[in-house]
Amino acid sequence: MGTGTGGDDSLYPIAVLIDELRNEDVQLRLNSIKKLSTIALALGVERTRTELLPFLTDTIYDEDEVLLALAEQLGSFTVLVGGPEFVHCLLPPLESLATVEETVVRDKAVESLRKISQEHSPVDLEVHFVPLVKRLASGDWFTSRTSACGLFGVCYPRVSSTVKAEIRQHFRTLCSDDTPMVRRAASSKLGEFAKVLELDYVKSDIIPLFTALASDEQDSVRLLAVEAGVSIAALLPQEDLEDLVMPTLRQAAEDKSWRVRYMVADKFSELQKAVGPEITKNDLVPAFQNLLKDCEAEVRTAAANKVKGEVLPEDSRETIIMTHILPCVKELVSDTNQHVKSALASVIMGLSTILGKDNTVEHLLPLFLVQLKDEYPEVRLNIISNLDCVNEVIGIRQLSQSLLPAIVELAEDAKWRVRLAIIEYMPLLAGQLGVEFFDEKLNSLCMAWLIDHVYAIREAATCNLMKLVEKFGAEWAQNTIVPKVLGMANDSNYLHRMTTLFCINALSEVCGQEITTKHMLPVVLKMSTDQVANVRFNVARCLQKIGPVLDSSALQAEVKPVLEKLATDQDMDVKYFALEAISGMYLFNLPTYIFSETFSFSSILFFFFSFSLSP
Amino acid sequence: MSSAATTAPSVDKVDGFSRKSVRKARQKRAQSSSQFRSQDKPIELVQLPLLKDVSAQEQPELFLKKLQQCCTLFDFMETLSDLKMKEYKRSTLNELVDYVTLSRGYLTEQTYPEVVKMVSCNIFRTLPPSDSNEFDPEEDEPMLEASWPHLQLVYEFFIRFLESQEFQPSVAKKYIDQKFVLQLLELFDSEDPRERDCLKTVLHRIYGKFLGLRAFIRKQINNIFLCFVFETEHFNGVAELLEILGSIINGFALPLKAEHKQFLVKVLLPLHTVRSLSLFHAQLAYCIVQFLEKDPTLTEPVIRGLLKFWPKTCSQKEVMFLGELEEILDVIEPTQFVKIQELLFKQISRCVSSPHFQVAERALYYWNNEYIMSLIEENSSVILPIMFASLYRISKEHWNPAISALIYNVLKAFMEMNSALFDELAANYKSDRQRERKKDKEREDLWRKLEELELRRGVQNNRNDIEGE
């Protein structure tokens, strides 16, 4: 800020601006608050400090939405009050905001306070910031104490040892506050606070707090302590873990509240990483087995997500999984709860890379097969969508025998969304299975979807064909799918005839000019005399679409006459699309007003038709 | 809370993890939530004779034995297991209910801990996760407690016990303590409405009989509400707790303690912000009105609070707020009315002109309320200018003819009340609008100028930076 207190203060009397902040209309107040930085800029740093901030501090009673905006703004106000030297001016309004009821406002105020704490010099921090934290920590109403919990961690590293001792004392007090809200806040910040403490104090101060919070009477407090436990464990040397944190963590894994057990299951990977391989092997594995067998499905689901055990020690990982985890996994495969099975299905394939080929074939394969036949489509889909993991280990051939019936079943599922999902995996499967297997087993399925009675499936099937051709090449397309697609042009059902056109739209580019000109174009042209208007106007659209693939002689000699004929069709939609194709392809120079005036109505009609086509 | 868990020695806590036996015991406790899954072997209870079939001296001992038997829990998720024993426990509980209702002299000192233990064993459990992730009490069917056939009788037994003439709070307070109450309050989150109904009666009785627990109960309910409003927005028993509070507030002594006023302003009023307000609004409004009937000077903070939390987007809630406001106005003292009339009618004027016809209609119904009408009439010189612009504008352009008709009546009423002022406002309507438009324009200008200034400074700063380098 080069200009300092300069600026045209006279132009903008503070009264006017403050009037705006006081306007009856909340929306106007909100607008002004959001432009608070502009106001501050207009006032200059000095008047911002002496007039605006006191005003804001005094009139903090407002709608929460306005307060939220204010709390946010003040976090980046340092420059506007004159830089770090004056940053403490921002503390009074933020202090009031940190005590309001509404959680989002309070959280935002704390966020801003944390931000500006970094801009305080160490002296200012002790003179201005720490007293504020202490005031909040001993506030009457729970809101200020809750807010205080989030502020200890940011000032602790930068203050003298006497102040440090006071801060620790305050934090201790809040951990045994008599409102659960404050204990929850303390519990959730315990890990963060532990990180900035000296190791000796972690042991002497934090551990007792952790133990107390982890056995709080309220499960909502206990479950937050689990997360803190993970952070604390990561700070301690290995030899202290057993005595200081493990008893509490063990207890959490067997807590009577399923929410706490869920938290342990959910944080399991982090927990393993924090306590290291040795404890994991001896302690966490048995606990994990229990979580996998928990009586609440929520807990089992969270645990099932972690069966891969990424952090287990390399050398014993396989054995541990084989002897301890796999038996539980075997049970989960036939769990009564679909979410559990579905979570398992999304990770179980990952086990094969850890266990290697022989074990996979012997132990996992049967499980995959069970899940592939699961009554819930979601479970089956999760298996199929992770086939690539298994492919790497044993090759998909091993699976194909059983895979196929499952795919066929999903492909014919009564719910079209399930069919749609399996179509989306086709290109992936095709890539993994190879062209030979595909032709033999799956090709017919892909063609069957083209005549599905749901439009969305036919559409997806068309798109699928395009992706398959991208994988297997034009020659394969010409030999296997193009004849079948073109054959449908003679179908008695006009929807199937249209599907031919849609396929050609999708395939012409990937198949290339030769196939398009030689094989597809004649069929399209022939269909221009179809008795159903919808087919005819789709011919026009198709010709426009494949135009770029064709050479100009074919365009002039074959396409142009057909489009010209369609442009004189009795049906107005056919006319419309024929004319659009003609102009789109620059075959003639037609004046554009023809389309805009005559046919705007048809385009509306077209939308109507395209809806009515899908049953 | 199975007996195995409670008797597990505390030393096991240190090393419990690796020892299978302890793990098993703990596991069992975990499963004594409302779903007990794995009970390996069938439960056998020795059939005891009926209480009425033994002599009066033998009854107390048999009663205790039966209480102990009823601590056994059954898995109701397994519909086919232990059928005979389940039936036995049910009939025993029935017998116990009758026994505490009818017999005299059964309540010896050592009975209390056994009764409380039996009740605790049965009702205290971690509530199971809700079936649907986002349980919406308005949409979803509540999950019913599977073990209700037993649980219901346990609750009934406990209520009869508390209501029994021989019941002595001075003895019972050793067992029905803060911890007990805390666990009881947690159960109010049960999805099963039948259970919450029983809990309501139980808590009400405890509040009535244990004076020493009253402050504690109120504080814990506070905590539940604050957590509900500001943290989770999820708690199934809010309506039931409010219902109890309604009768508690009714009994508050005058003058009201600061603690109670704080409860009103900092807990009850914020409850209005919750999304599921409709589920407990009637009970909440009742509590609020109770407070105002006790102490009319609270009217101003209450109405200010309501106006602060006035719904911005939810018309359904707005209708509820208008309903509550009318209940408040029904009991308002004219001296209090004068204090908040301006703020209040600014909001009402916005409601009257709401494009949502139910909101407008609800607000306009105030003019059918005789008491409110008399208040408006007394203060027409203040209220009429606030209301006039919206009424006048809406009378011409509201899309709903029913609203237009209502507005017409209101205008007519105002005209009869204070025709001089009415004519003046009508005459000034146009020029007032013009003045407003002018003000809007001035505001826009102000902001534009400010933005220009900011831009100019930005440029200047850049230039300074460059020069500085």
Side-chain angles (χ1 to χ4, degrees), chain A residues 239-260:
Chain A
E239 65 268 20
D240 289 328
L241 287 174
E242 180 53 44
D243 288 343
L244 299 180
V245 291
M246 286 316 293
T248 312
L249 288 175
R250 281 183 201 117
Q251 194 187 313
E254 302 186 338
D255 197 281
K256 70 177 194 294
S257 162
W258 62 269
R259 290 184 188 85
V260 180

PDB file of all heavy atoms in Angstrom, chain A residues 239-260:
ATOM      1  N   GLU A 239       8.992 -47.909  20.586  1.00  0.00           N
ATOM      2  CA  GLU A 239       8.995 -48.624  21.876  1.00  0.00           C
ATOM      3  C   GLU A 239       7.942 -48.095  22.852  1.00  0.00           C
ATOM      4  O   GLU A 239       7.560 -48.780  23.784  1.00  0.00           O
ATOM      5  CB  GLU A 239      10.389 -48.601  22.525  1.00  0.00           C
ATOM      6  CG  GLU A 239      10.884 -47.208  22.933  1.00  0.00           C
ATOM      7  CD  GLU A 239      11.705 -46.538  21.831  1.00  0.00           C
ATOM      8  OE1 GLU A 239      11.565 -46.962  20.660  1.00  0.00           O
ATOM      9  OE2 GLU A 239      12.466 -45.600  22.136  1.00  0.00           O
ATOM     10  N   ASP A 240       7.447 -46.869  22.611  1.00  0.00           N
ATOM     11  CA  ASP A 240       6.435 -46.327  23.520  1.00  0.00           C
ATOM     12  C   ASP A 240       5.004 -46.674  23.118  1.00  0.00           C
ATOM     13  O   ASP A 240       4.075 -46.529  23.914  1.00  0.00           O
ATOM     14  CB  ASP A 240       6.556 -44.798  23.595  1.00  0.00           C
ATOM     15  CG  ASP A 240       7.798 -44.387  24.356  1.00  0.00           C
ATOM     16  OD1 ASP A 240       8.190 -45.133  25.276  1.00  0.00           O
ATOM     17  OD2 ASP A 240       8.373 -43.339  24.026  1.00  0.00           O
ATOM     18  N   LEU A 241       4.858 -47.071  21.877  1.00  0.00           N
ATOM     19  CA  LEU A 241       3.497 -47.276  21.365  1.00  0.00           C
ATOM     20  C   LEU A 241       2.724 -48.275  22.218  1.00  0.00           C
ATOM     21  O   LEU A 241       1.577 -48.045  22.582  1.00  0.00           O
ATOM     22  CB  LEU A 241       3.547 -47.772  19.919  1.00  0.00           C
ATOM     23  CG  LEU A 241       3.947 -46.723  18.886  1.00  0.00           C
ATOM     24  CD1 LEU A 241       4.099 -47.370  17.516  1.00  0.00           C
ATOM     25  CD2 LEU A 241       2.888 -45.626  18.831  1.00  0.00           C
ATOM     26  N   GLU A 242       3.373 -49.399  22.489  1.00  0.00           N
ATOM     27  CA  GLU A 242       2.692 -50.474  23.184  1.00  0.00           C
ATOM     28  C   GLU A 242       2.089 -49.988  24.505  1.00  0.00           C
ATOM     29  O   GLU A 242       0.929 -50.241  24.803  1.00  0.00           O
ATOM     30  CB  GLU A 242       3.676 -51.612  23.420  1.00  0.00           C
ATOM     31  CG  GLU A 242       3.082 -52.811  24.135  1.00  0.00           C
ATOM     32  CD  GLU A 242       1.815 -53.336  23.467  1.00  0.00           C
ATOM     33  OE1 GLU A 242       1.804 -53.450  22.223  1.00  0.00           O
ATOM     34  OE2 GLU A 242       0.813 -53.574  24.187  1.00  0.00           O
ATOM     35  N   ASP A 243       2.876 -49.226  25.255  1.00  0.00           N
ATOM     36  CA  ASP A 243       2.381 -48.798  26.559  1.00  0.00           C
ATOM     37  C   ASP A 243       1.415 -47.629  26.475  1.00  0.00           C
ATOM     38  O   ASP A 243       0.469 -47.545  27.239  1.00  0.00           O
ATOM     39  CB  ASP A 243       3.558 -48.383  27.457  1.00  0.00           C
ATOM     40  CG  ASP A 243       4.344 -49.597  27.903  1.00  0.00           C
ATOM     41  OD1 ASP A 243       3.785 -50.709  27.797  1.00  0.00           O
ATOM     42  OD2 ASP A 243       5.502 -49.428  28.322  1.00  0.00           O
ATOM     43  N   LEU A 244       1.705 -46.724  25.541  1.00  0.00           N
ATOM     44  CA  LEU A 244       0.978 -45.456  25.609  1.00  0.00           C
ATOM     45  C   LEU A 244      -0.299 -45.395  24.779  1.00  0.00           C
ATOM     46  O   LEU A 244      -1.272 -44.787  25.194  1.00  0.00           O
ATOM     47  CB  LEU A 244       1.909 -44.299  25.210  1.00  0.00           C
ATOM     48  CG  LEU A 244       3.135 -44.135  26.107  1.00  0.00           C
ATOM     49  CD1 LEU A 244       3.997 -42.975  25.634  1.00  0.00           C
ATOM     50  CD2 LEU A 244       2.717 -43.925  27.557  1.00  0.00           C
ATOM     51  N   VAL A 245      -0.293 -45.961  23.605  1.00  0.00           N
ATOM     52  CA  VAL A 245      -1.523 -45.820  22.809  1.00  0.00           C
ATOM     53  C   VAL A 245      -2.252 -47.128  22.528  1.00  0.00           C
ATOM     54  O   VAL A 245      -3.472 -47.135  22.364  1.00  0.00           O
ATOM     55  CB  VAL A 245      -1.288 -45.118  21.443  1.00  0.00           C
ATOM     56  CG1 VAL A 245      -0.951 -43.672  21.641  1.00  0.00           C
ATOM     57  CG2 VAL A 245      -0.264 -45.819  20.620  1.00  0.00           C
ATOM     58  N   MET A 246      -1.522 -48.226  22.477  1.00  0.00           N
ATOM     59  CA  MET A 246      -2.192 -49.449  22.051  1.00  0.00           C
ATOM     60  C   MET A 246      -3.353 -49.884  22.945  1.00  0.00           C
ATOM     61  O   MET A 246      -4.397 -50.291  22.423  1.00  0.00           O
ATOM     62  CB  MET A 246      -1.169 -50.591  21.872  1.00  0.00           C
ATOM     63  CG  MET A 246      -0.310 -50.446  20.626  1.00  0.00           C
ATOM     64  SD  MET A 246      -1.228 -49.971  19.158  1.00  0.00           S
ATOM     65  CE  MET A 246      -2.221 -51.424  18.880  1.00  0.00           C
ATOM     66  N   PRO A 247      -3.210 -49.803  24.261  1.00  0.00           N
ATOM     67  CA  PRO A 247      -4.356 -50.231  25.078  1.00  0.00           C
ATOM     68  C   PRO A 247      -5.632 -49.482  24.700  1.00  0.00           C
ATOM     69  O   PRO A 247      -6.710 -50.077  24.580  1.00  0.00           O
ATOM     70  CB  PRO A 247      -3.921 -49.873  26.509  1.00  0.00           C
ATOM     71  CG  PRO A 247      -2.440 -49.853  26.466  1.00  0.00           C
ATOM     72  CD  PRO A 247      -2.067 -49.400  25.091  1.00  0.00           C
ATOM     73  N   THR A 248      -5.478 -48.179  24.466  1.00  0.00           N
ATOM     74  CA  THR A 248      -6.648 -47.375  24.137  1.00  0.00           C
ATOM     75  C   THR A 248      -7.198 -47.734  22.755  1.00  0.00           C
ATOM     76  O   THR A 248      -8.414 -47.808  22.559  1.00  0.00           O
ATOM     77  CB  THR A 248      -6.266 -45.889  24.171  1.00  0.00           C
ATOM     78  OG1 THR A 248      -5.559 -45.638  25.375  1.00  0.00           O
ATOM     79  CG2 THR A 248      -7.481 -45.015  24.104  1.00  0.00           C
ATOM     80  N   LEU A 249      -6.294 -47.951  21.814  1.00  0.00           N
ATOM     81  CA  LEU A 249      -6.764 -48.284  20.472  1.00  0.00           C
ATOM     82  C   LEU A 249      -7.450 -49.645  20.439  1.00  0.00           C
ATOM     83  O   LEU A 249      -8.450 -49.828  19.743  1.00  0.00           O
ATOM     84  CB  LEU A 249      -5.601 -48.249  19.478  1.00  0.00           C
ATOM     85  CG  LEU A 249      -5.096 -46.838  19.143  1.00  0.00           C
ATOM     86  CD1 LEU A 249      -3.868 -46.906  18.258  1.00  0.00           C
ATOM     87  CD2 LEU A 249      -6.187 -46.011  18.466  1.00  0.00           C
ATOM     88  N   ARG A 250      -6.893 -50.567  21.200  1.00  0.00           N
ATOM     89  CA  ARG A 250      -7.544 -51.889  21.281  1.00  0.00           C
ATOM     90  C   ARG A 250      -8.959 -51.754  21.801  1.00  0.00           C
ATOM     91  O   ARG A 250      -9.895 -52.356  21.310  1.00  0.00           O
ATOM     92  CB  ARG A 250      -6.780 -52.791  22.242  1.00  0.00           C
ATOM     93  CG  ARG A 250      -5.559 -53.381  21.642  1.00  0.00           C
ATOM     94  CD  ARG A 250      -4.919 -54.323  22.661  1.00  0.00           C
ATOM     95  NE  ARG A 250      -3.545 -54.487  22.295  1.00  0.00           N
ATOM     96  CZ  ARG A 250      -2.537 -54.106  23.066  1.00  0.00           C
ATOM     97  NH1 ARG A 250      -2.758 -53.583  24.245  1.00  0.00           N
ATOM     98  NH2 ARG A 250      -1.313 -54.271  22.645  1.00  0.00           N
ATOM     99  N   GLN A 251      -9.046 -50.939  22.833  1.00  0.00           N
ATOM    100  CA  GLN A 251     -10.346 -50.718  23.445  1.00  0.00           C
ATOM    101  C   GLN A 251     -11.314 -50.118  22.423  1.00  0.00           C
ATOM    102  O   GLN A 251     -12.474 -50.510  22.344  1.00  0.00           O
ATOM    103  CB  GLN A 251     -10.114 -49.758  24.595  1.00  0.00           C
ATOM    104  CG  GLN A 251     -11.201 -49.604  25.599  1.00  0.00           C
ATOM    105  CD  GLN A 251     -10.828 -48.463  26.548  1.00  0.00           C
ATOM    106  OE1 GLN A 251      -9.695 -48.402  27.050  1.00  0.00           O
ATOM    107  NE2 GLN A 251     -11.741 -47.551  26.755  1.00  0.00           N
ATOM    108  N   ALA A 252     -10.828 -49.181  21.617  1.00  0.00           N
ATOM    109  CA  ALA A 252     -11.687 -48.541  20.612  1.00  0.00           C
ATOM    110  C   ALA A 252     -12.178 -49.560  19.599  1.00  0.00           C
ATOM    111  O   ALA A 252     -13.319 -49.511  19.141  1.00  0.00           O
ATOM    112  CB  ALA A 252     -10.936 -47.410  19.929  1.00  0.00           C
ATOM    113  N   ALA A 253     -11.311 -50.501  19.233  1.00  0.00           N
ATOM    114  CA  ALA A 253     -11.695 -51.488  18.225  1.00  0.00           C
ATOM    115  C   ALA A 253     -12.800 -52.395  18.742  1.00  0.00           C
ATOM    116  O   ALA A 253     -13.460 -53.086  17.974  1.00  0.00           O
ATOM    117  CB  ALA A 253     -10.488 -52.305  17.806  1.00  0.00           C
ATOM    118  N   GLU A 254     -12.976 -52.412  20.052  1.00  0.00           N
ATOM    119  CA  GLU A 254     -14.020 -53.278  20.625  1.00  0.00           C
ATOM    120  C   GLU A 254     -15.059 -52.455  21.364  1.00  0.00           C
ATOM    121  O   GLU A 254     -15.798 -52.969  22.206  1.00  0.00           O
ATOM    122  CB  GLU A 254     -13.382 -54.260  21.607  1.00  0.00           C
ATOM    123  CG  GLU A 254     -12.330 -55.101  20.949  1.00  0.00           C
ATOM    124  CD  GLU A 254     -11.801 -56.166  21.885  1.00  0.00           C
ATOM    125  OE1 GLU A 254     -11.933 -55.983  23.110  1.00  0.00           O
ATOM    126  OE2 GLU A 254     -11.291 -57.162  21.377  1.00  0.00           O
ATOM    127  N   ASP A 255     -15.115 -51.192  21.046  1.00  0.00           N
ATOM    128  CA  ASP A 255     -16.039 -50.298  21.736  1.00  0.00           C
ATOM    129  C   ASP A 255     -17.462 -50.816  21.617  1.00  0.00           C
ATOM    130  O   ASP A 255     -17.817 -51.472  20.643  1.00  0.00           O
ATOM    131  CB  ASP A 255     -15.946 -48.914  21.086  1.00  0.00           C
ATOM    132  CG  ASP A 255     -16.528 -47.850  21.969  1.00  0.00           C
ATOM    133  OD1 ASP A 255     -17.778 -47.719  22.010  1.00  0.00           O
ATOM    134  OD2 ASP A 255     -15.744 -47.142  22.610  1.00  0.00           O
ATOM    135  N   LYS A 256     -18.280 -50.502  22.608  1.00  0.00           N
ATOM    136  CA  LYS A 256     -19.655 -50.995  22.527  1.00  0.00           C
ATOM    137  C   LYS A 256     -20.481 -50.229  21.506  1.00  0.00           C
ATOM    138  O   LYS A 256     -21.524 -50.689  21.071  1.00  0.00           O
ATOM    139  CB  LYS A 256     -20.316 -50.996  23.905  1.00  0.00           C
ATOM    140  CG  LYS A 256     -20.618 -49.638  24.494  1.00  0.00           C
ATOM    141  CD  LYS A 256     -21.342 -49.867  25.823  1.00  0.00           C
ATOM    142  CE  LYS A 256     -22.006 -48.659  26.392  1.00  0.00           C
ATOM    143  NZ  LYS A 256     -21.241 -47.546  26.831  1.00  0.00           N
ATOM    144  N   SER A 257     -20.018 -49.054  21.132  1.00  0.00           N
ATOM    145  CA  SER A 257     -20.761 -48.311  20.111  1.00  0.00           C
ATOM    146  C   SER A 257     -20.213 -48.627  18.722  1.00  0.00           C
ATOM    147  O   SER A 257     -19.005 -48.531  18.472  1.00  0.00           O
ATOM    148  CB  SER A 257     -20.649 -46.815  20.373  1.00  0.00           C
ATOM    149  OG  SER A 257     -21.000 -46.115  19.201  1.00  0.00           O
ATOM    150  N   TRP A 258     -21.124 -48.959  17.814  1.00  0.00           N
ATOM    151  CA  TRP A 258     -20.660 -49.306  16.469  1.00  0.00           C
ATOM    152  C   TRP A 258     -20.038 -48.114  15.772  1.00  0.00           C
ATOM    153  O   TRP A 258     -19.208 -48.282  14.880  1.00  0.00           O
ATOM    154  CB  TRP A 258     -21.803 -49.883  15.626  1.00  0.00           C
ATOM    155  CG  TRP A 258     -22.930 -48.921  15.412  1.00  0.00           C
ATOM    156  CD1 TRP A 258     -24.032 -48.769  16.187  1.00  0.00           C
ATOM    157  CD2 TRP A 258     -23.044 -47.956  14.370  1.00  0.00           C
ATOM    158  NE1 TRP A 258     -24.830 -47.772  15.704  1.00  0.00           N
ATOM    159  CE2 TRP A 258     -24.260 -47.255  14.580  1.00  0.00           C
ATOM    160  CE3 TRP A 258     -22.261 -47.619  13.265  1.00  0.00           C
ATOM    161  CZ2 TRP A 258     -24.690 -46.226  13.745  1.00  0.00           C
ATOM    162  CZ3 TRP A 258     -22.692 -46.604  12.422  1.00  0.00           C
ATOM    163  CH2 TRP A 258     -23.882 -45.920  12.677  1.00  0.00           C
ATOM    164  N   ARG A 259     -20.375 -46.899  16.162  1.00  0.00           N
ATOM    165  CA  ARG A 259     -19.797 -45.724  15.499  1.00  0.00           C
ATOM    166  C   ARG A 259     -18.286 -45.662  15.731  1.00  0.00           C
ATOM    167  O   ARG A 259     -17.530 -45.302  14.843  1.00  0.00           O
ATOM    168  CB  ARG A 259     -20.434 -44.443  16.018  1.00  0.00           C
ATOM    169  CG  ARG A 259     -21.873 -44.273  15.591  1.00  0.00           C
ATOM    170  CD  ARG A 259     -22.401 -42.923  16.057  1.00  0.00           C
ATOM    171  NE  ARG A 259     -23.821 -42.831  15.824  1.00  0.00           N
ATOM    172  CZ  ARG A 259     -24.734 -43.300  16.673  1.00  0.00           C
ATOM    173  NH1 ARG A 259     -24.366 -43.880  17.798  1.00  0.00           N
ATOM    174  NH2 ARG A 259     -26.012 -43.199  16.405  1.00  0.00           N
ATOM    175  N   VAL A 260     -17.897 -46.005  16.943  1.00  0.00           N
ATOM    176  CA  VAL A 260     -16.467 -45.989  17.260  1.00  0.00           C
ATOM    177  C   VAL A 260     -15.756 -47.106  16.489  1.00  0.00           C
ATOM    178  O   VAL A 260     -14.694 -46.883  15.896  1.00  0.00           O
ATOM    179  CB  VAL A 260     -16.243 -46.147  18.778  1.00  0.00           C
ATOM    180  CG1 VAL A 260     -14.768 -46.129  19.103  1.00  0.00           C
ATOM    181  CG2 VAL A 260     -16.978 -45.051  19.525  1.00  0.00           C
TER     182      VAL A 260
END
